[in-house]
Amino acid sequence: MATIDIIKEVLSDNLDIEPETVTIESTFDSLGIDSLDMVELICDLEEKCDVDFGEPEGLATVGDLVNYIESL
């Protein structure tokens, strides 16, 4: 499964965000994701992708997150 699809699935399951509204260019602000939601998202993605994010910074868009995960 592509990283973007995993992110869409987690956003849909946990934050009730429609997958079709999520694109590479989507900002977390535009999706209504606040800092607490972001912490939950990262925890869920760590578990689902079996990676350790550490302390990611500068993630403003879904594309930033995809690139970060794929660089791990």
Side-chain angles (χ1 to χ4, degrees):
M1 181 179 281
T3 305
I4 184 75
D5 294 327
I6 294 169
I7 293 169
K8 287 180 179 185
E9 180 181 300
V10 170
L11 290 173
S12 175
D13 291 348
N14 299 351
L15 299 174
D16 295 323
I17 295 173
E18 295 296 324
E20 57 273 3
T21 66
V22 179
T23 67
I24 290 289
E25 296 84 21
S26 298
T27 65
F28 296 112
D29 284 340
S30 73
L31 295 171
I33 297 172
D34 62 21
S35 58
L36 181 58
D37 293 333
M38 193 66 178
V39 170
E40 290 181 35
L41 173 61
I42 287 175
C43 289
D44 292 338
L45 288 171
E46 282 180 325
E47 186 177 307
K48 197 155 191 84
C49 297
D50 195 30
V51 295
D52 181 15
F53 273 60
E55 297 286 330
E57 294 182 10
L59 302 177
T61 68
V62 172
D64 293 340
L65 183 57
V66 168
N67 291 335
Y68 185 80
I69 292 169
E70 292 178 351
S71 74
L72 298 175

